[in-house]
Amino acid sequence: MKAIIEKMVREEINAILSENRETIKEIVATSLLPQLRAAIRAEITHTLGELPEWNPEDEKEETRKPELRDPQSAIRNPQSAIGLYLYGIADGDHEITLGNMGLEANEVYTIPFGNLSAIVHNCTAEPYQSDDQDIVKVWVLTHQKVVDAAGEKFGTIIPMGFDTIICGKGDQDPKKNMQQWIEGDYDNLTLKMTKIRNKAEYGVQIFWETKTMAQQISDESAPINQLREEIKTKPKGIAYMYRQKLEELLKNEMANKADQCFQEFYEEIRNYTDDIRVEKTKKTDDEERQMLLNLSCLLPKDQSEKLGEALEKIDGREGFSVRYTGPWPPYSFV
């Protein structure tokens, strides 16, 4: 009896396959294959996202002398009682004090070397660390205030990151160690100073409203409109599969439109800058508002209004909005 039932089941399955062969082929072509391709693309994207980012500068770092090329990597003597907290390098030969405006109200002053001047305060040979995030925030904000004040005072500075401390090296005091670092990297620092002189960094972020853009693309796309008409002629089950195909087509056209807008806006903005860096986009709190591009721009301060005017035109386009910030110290370009 079991064998008879199994034979009846196989015959019924074969009959169903034979009677619906064309329908099954269409379902596979319109649904299963696109889903398989999408799954493969997603897996490739996921795998690439887990790979460490390659930075050509990493290879260069291996050939650098830390104590000369990177003040944050200067050799530190843990037994040294004092160090120099470095805010930045000023343009010109200056030997003045900026007052007690540094971290924890330390006196900020300059140490000249050639046509450059280090902006520092005396500190212990230890990093500024605390488990209290409010204290850390105050330190970081104070660091930025000193950098801003120095920029106003000296015109152009190469800003250093928070917690850059130069320490003594053996019996050598931190001031001598810092002067040796500046001397060893003097040409490089001078080139950077020339690049950023009388310039500032500006941030440009452009967003688009995904719902608005999807509607525009749907209205203007011939393939999408053609597929919509085809859906009307399909049976209910097949129409469902076609709607999934329609969603996939819309996603692809949205991605293509995003690439086109990125290139268009990037080229427009580049006309007003001396240098430009593409930063990673960030998620927004609004699910229907997506960051399309995130740029750091270096340009003369007197050119910022012209860039602002160009950005206003982009901001006025339906479905787009712009965030324009600055001027900032040119951290991204030094």
Side-chain angles (χ1 to χ4, degrees):
M1 180 62 70
K2 181 178 179 182
I4 294 174
I5 293 174
E6 289 177 350
K7 182 180 179 181
M8 292 173 62
V9 171
R10 285 197 299 270
E11 289 176 350
E12 183 66 20
I13 291 174
N14 289 333
I16 292 172
L17 291 175
S18 179
E19 294 170 2
N20 298 276
R21 189 177 303 277
E22 294 302 319
T23 300
I24 292 171
K25 285 173 63 178
E26 191 166 8
I27 291 174
V28 171
T30 59
S31 177
L32 298 183
L33 288 180
Q35 290 181 17
L36 178 60
R37 292 191 181 101
I40 293 171
R41 289 198 299 269
E43 180 61 25
I44 292 172
T45 301
H46 175 72
T47 302
L48 289 175
E50 292 183 340
L51 294 176
E53 292 187 10
W54 176 77
N55 185 352
E57 292 298 321
D58 293 341
E59 296 182 359
K60 297 179 182 179
E61 290 294 333
E62 296 178 1
T63 63
R64 293 180 178 176
K65 297 180 179 179
E67 67 273 17
L68 296 180
R69 294 295 179 181
D70 184 356
Q72 297 191 61
S73 301
I75 296 176
R76 301 184 181 191
N77 181 357
Q79 297 180 351
S80 177
I82 61 171
L84 290 173
Y85 185 100
L86 182 61
Y87 294 94
I89 304 295
D91 189 16
D93 179 358
H94 309 284
E95 192 170 3
I96 62 173
T97 178
L98 298 179
N100 298 91
M101 62 182 306
L103 274 65
E104 299 180 339
N106 278 286
E107 181 187 11
V108 178
Y109 63 98
T110 59
I111 300 175
F113 186 91
N115 288 320
L116 302 174
S117 300
I119 305 162
V120 302
H121 79 242
N122 296 336
C123 65
T124 58
E126 301 173 350
Y128 282 82
Q129 295 179 346
S130 174
D131 294 331
D132 189 333
Q133 292 303 307
D134 290 334
I135 292 176
V136 175
K137 287 179 182 178
V138 170
W139 286 340
V140 172
L141 288 173
T142 302
H143 173 97
Q144 187 58 48
K145 287 179 181 178
V146 173
V147 171
D148 291 340
E152 291 292 328
K153 180 73 174 178
F154 304 117
T156 303
I157 68 167
I158 298 174
M160 296 294 170
F162 171 75
D163 220 10
T164 301
I165 297 175
I166 305 297
C167 302
K169 183 180 179 182
D171 295 332
Q172 187 169 282
D173 64 39
K175 179 178 178 180
K176 187 67 175 178
N177 193 28
M178 185 189 64
Q179 288 176 328
Q180 285 187 348
W181 162 67
I182 295 177
E183 181 179 12
D185 210 27
Y186 191 83
D187 290 343
N188 180 42
L189 292 170
T190 301
L191 285 173
K192 288 181 179 179
M193 191 68 72
T194 301
K195 176 181 179 179
I196 66 173
R197 186 173 285 118
N198 299 321
K199 300 181 180 72
E201 180 174 328
Y202 294 83
V204 176
Q205 297 174 336
I206 299 180
F207 306 83
W208 74 351
E209 298 171 10
T210 54
K211 190 174 181 179
T212 301
M213 298 310 300
Q215 186 61 54
Q216 287 183 5
I217 292 171
S218 295
D219 293 341
E220 298 170 0
S221 170
I224 287 178
N225 289 322
Q226 181 180 351
L227 190 57
R228 279 177 174 166
E229 293 301 319
E230 289 183 24
I231 291 175
K232 296 177 182 179
T233 66
K234 300 297 180 182
K236 187 174 181 180
I238 300 301
Y240 173 77
M241 301 302 177
Y242 265 70
R243 280 192 290 272
Q244 288 187 315
K245 184 177 179 180
L246 181 64
E247 291 178 4
E248 184 68 19
L249 179 59
L250 179 58
K251 287 180 182 179
N252 290 337
E253 294 220 11
M254 285 279 288
N256 292 336
K257 183 67 173 178
D259 290 341
Q260 292 173 9
C261 291
F262 180 95
Q263 292 298 327
E264 177 188 348
F265 297 152
Y266 178 87
E267 293 298 331
E268 175 68 15
I269 293 168
R270 190 172 64 172
N271 292 330
Y272 300 92
T273 67
D274 284 12
D275 199 357
I276 190 168
R277 287 176 58 92
V278 178
E279 311 289 356
K280 289 184 177 180
T281 56
K282 304 173 183 177
K283 290 185 178 180
T284 66
D285 295 333
D286 186 352
E287 292 182 357
E288 295 184 358
R289 187 168 179 259
Q290 181 182 13
M291 186 182 294
L292 192 62
L293 75 166
N294 184 17
L295 303 175
S296 296
C297 304
L298 181 70
L299 60 147
K301 294 179 181 180
D302 58 7
Q303 296 290 321
S304 62
E305 288 188 9
K306 292 183 179 180
L307 175 57
E309 291 171 0
L311 294 174
E312 282 182 3
K313 294 179 181 178
I314 297 174
D315 189 67
R317 292 172 57 167
E318 184 180 4
F320 293 94
S321 59
V322 177
R323 180 186 295 158
Y324 184 36
T325 60
W328 309 111
Y331 286 103
S332 300
F333 301 94
V334 297

